[in-house]
Amino acid sequence: MKIGIVGLPYVGKTSLFNALTQSEAETGTYAAKKGWNIGSVKVPDERLAALAGIFNPKKVTPTSIDYVDVPGVAKGDIAREGLEASVIAELREVDALAHIVRVFEDDAVPHVDGDVDPKRDSETIDIELAFADLGIIDNRLDRLSRELRTQKIPALEHERVVLERCKDTLEGGTAIRELPLSPEDERAIRGYGFLTQKPLLLILNIGEAELDSAEARRASFAEYAQTRQIEIITLSASLEMEIARLDAEDAEIFRAEMGLNASAPARVIEASYRTLELITFFTIVSDQLQAWTLKNGMTALDAAAAIHTDMARGFIRAETIHWADLVDCGGLTKARDDGLLRLEGKDYTVSDGDVLTIRFNV
Ligand SMILES: Nc1nc2c(ncn2[C@@H]2O[C@H](COP(=O)(O)OP(=O)(O)OP(=O)(O)O)[C@@H](O)[C@H]2O)c(=O)[nH]1
Ligand SMILES: [Mg+2]
């Protein structure tokens, strides 16, 4: 899973990236504007520790999330191609976007549009993302109308109808995310990776001295977020970057002193999971305990495919137990003896926290 961090220039994108991935990428207003940073974070999961407690596995593999930190996008950048095409192409590949909005006041950090105005700024980015999608749609519609003049191809006709709807939606100031699309419609445009179709997290970068205003800030964005179906997180990126440099114990003490409750990276990761509607399942195979992600609603066969295509091809059944039941009874053998392992077929809908043992032959 990959999440792209976007926002205006100098709003704290790289600071947050460093906090999330424990990196030391260059921050500050003179950082190079080219290219992007990619880093990975292991998803903390208490269930893994509990399961490891009964299995003593040789290896424990958590899931991970990749974060991509791209250069800032200023008003008009997309229209005048001020942002490298490779950056946009990279963003088209991500599963979700985290949009950072500057709330912090700091005279030492300039603002591209003169002053700090979180609402205006978040709308600026909405518009830039919409422009990026419209550019692709217009090009494609041109091509399609030429192709469809000479021959009638139903799939292309359908694609044209869906793209026209996307275009109208964007021109009306709404993201493609909010456009109801059937699964067929969805398939017709999936390949374009439209930026405004991606799940979005809104991250308000509150100044370290103003953190007690976080709730009020969040409330001021409640309506904005609700109409756009997005989640809001508040944090201070530069403070989180400092905390990420401390060891776990000092970080805990520091958070307590600052009156910060849950760690911001953990909140961003949790929100990423919710936004993407992901669940976690676990496997225990030859001394290895591993966590995997799956889209909510997916089946045991999808879970098998996530592990290995051979497993999906030769799928027989999935022996299934909820992680807490397994921890309670103390092991898979005991669970099997006690009749706690359920035998599920390929259509079984996997639940968050399931431990699966996939039986298959190849
Ligand atoms: N006071 C304060 N300054 C911050 C905060 N977050 C970021 N900054 C400062 O803002 C400047 C820009 O931070 P970056 O993290 O490099 O911002 P960016 O969005 O990656 O910038 P570009 O990549 O150039 O678009 C740095 O000088 C940071 O120290 C914050 O929460 N409080
Ligand atoms: Mg940066």
Side-chain angles (χ1 to χ4, degrees):
M1 182 170 60
K2 206 188 251 186
I3 297 190
I5 303 176
V6 296
L8 289 178
Y10 325 146
V11 295
K13 297 179 297 299
T14 304
S15 304
L16 178 68
F17 170 83
N18 285 342
L20 290 169
T21 61
Q22 309 240 321
S23 306
E24 293 287 345
E26 194 183 348
T27 62
T29 50
Y30 302 102
K33 299 294 289 181
K34 292 228 159 76
W36 57 82
N37 302 304
I38 293 191
S40 184
V41 53
K42 292 190 169 59
V43 175
D45 192 329
E46 288 168 358
R47 297 169 296 184
L48 273 177
L51 287 168
I54 60 167
F55 286 103
N56 292 315
K58 284 217 178 73
K59 195 170 167 211
V60 179
T61 312
T63 59
S64 62
I65 302 184
D66 292 337
Y67 287 95
V68 187
D69 165 42
V70 303
V73 181
K75 184 158 64 190
D77 264 356
I78 302 284
R80 58 170 180 266
E81 293 177 12
L83 196 69
E84 284 190 40
S86 60
V87 170
I88 296 287
E90 180 64 23
L91 286 179
R92 296 211 177 280
E93 299 290 315
V94 305
D95 301 292
L97 295 175
H99 171 188
I100 308 217
V101 180
R102 172 171 171 180
V103 178
F104 70 86
E105 297 279 354
D106 188 338
D107 292 341
V109 181
H111 189 294
V112 275
D113 290 317
D115 58 344
V116 177
D117 183 340
K119 275 279 169 48
R120 176 201 62 204
D121 292 352
S122 50
E123 281 163 9
T124 300
I125 291 295
D126 287 343
I127 291 169
E128 290 304 309
L129 298 179
F131 260 123
D133 287 347
L134 276 170
I136 294 206
I137 292 176
D138 284 337
N139 277 337
R140 181 62 184 156
L141 283 174
D142 273 354
R143 287 257 301 281
L144 278 174
S145 70
R146 260 179 281 131
E147 281 175 44
L148 287 168
R149 218 172 287 148
T150 53
Q151 48 185 339
K152 291 264 169 285
I153 303 170
L156 294 188
E157 291 281 2
H158 176 232
E159 185 185 330
R160 174 158 72 178
V161 172
V162 181
L163 287 177
E164 293 280 8
R165 283 177 62 206
C166 291
K167 184 177 158 84
D168 289 347
T169 302
L170 290 169
E171 286 173 349
T174 305
I176 298 176
R177 180 184 324 109
E178 293 167 59
L179 178 67
L181 294 171
S182 71
E184 293 82 50
D185 296 346
E186 186 91 37
R187 261 195 298 279
I189 60 167
R190 185 175 294 161
Y192 298 113
F194 289 132
L195 302 182
T196 68
Q197 193 183 9
K198 296 184 188 293
L200 183 68
L201 284 176
L202 189 71
I203 300 185
L204 302 181
N205 187 9
I206 315 267
E208 50 286 348
E210 303 135 60
L211 275 169
D212 49 5
S213 73
E215 268 319 305
R217 288 299 190 168
R218 179 204 298 279
S220 73
F221 266 88
E223 196 186 316
Y224 174 95
Q226 202 180 12
T227 54
R228 288 167 179 75
Q229 304 165 17
I230 58 182
E231 199 164 332
I232 310 175
I233 292 173
T234 55
L235 48 77
S236 162
S238 52
L239 189 63
E240 291 299 332
M241 192 172 98
E242 297 305 322
I243 296 177
R245 290 182 176 139
L246 305 173
D247 63 39
E249 202 173 316
D250 288 346
E252 191 98 340
I253 295 169
F254 191 71
R255 274 189 202 289
E257 276 173 6
M258 294 291 297
L260 302 169
N261 34 26
S263 114
R267 282 186 287 134
V268 173
I269 290 169
E270 276 167 27
S272 306
Y273 265 66
R274 274 197 303 278
T275 303
L276 286 164
E277 297 176 53
L278 295 177
I279 58 168
T280 305
F281 72 93
F282 305 98
T283 58
I284 299 151
V285 179
S286 56
D287 282 350
Q288 278 203 44
L289 169 62
Q290 185 158 357
W292 307 80
T293 47
L294 204 61
K295 190 103 182 157
N296 192 17
M298 287 194 139
T299 63
L301 189 65
D302 296 319
I307 302 170
H308 201 288
T309 45
D310 280 348
M311 267 197 186
R313 209 177 305 129
F315 186 96
I316 301 170
R317 63 175 181 272
E319 296 174 5
T320 308
I321 183 169
H322 189 252
W323 74 274
D325 296 337
L326 183 55
V327 170
D328 279 348
C329 85
L332 277 173
T333 317
K334 177 93 179 1
R336 193 172 289 119
D337 291 346
D338 291 357
L340 291 172
L341 278 188
R342 304 190 312 275
L343 305 184
E344 302 285 5
K346 58 176 186 284
D347 294 330
Y348 168 70
T349 304
V350 178
S351 295
D352 188 41
D354 274 350
V355 179
L356 299 181
T357 309
I358 311 273
R359 300 292 171 199
F360 67 108
N361 65 41
V362 278

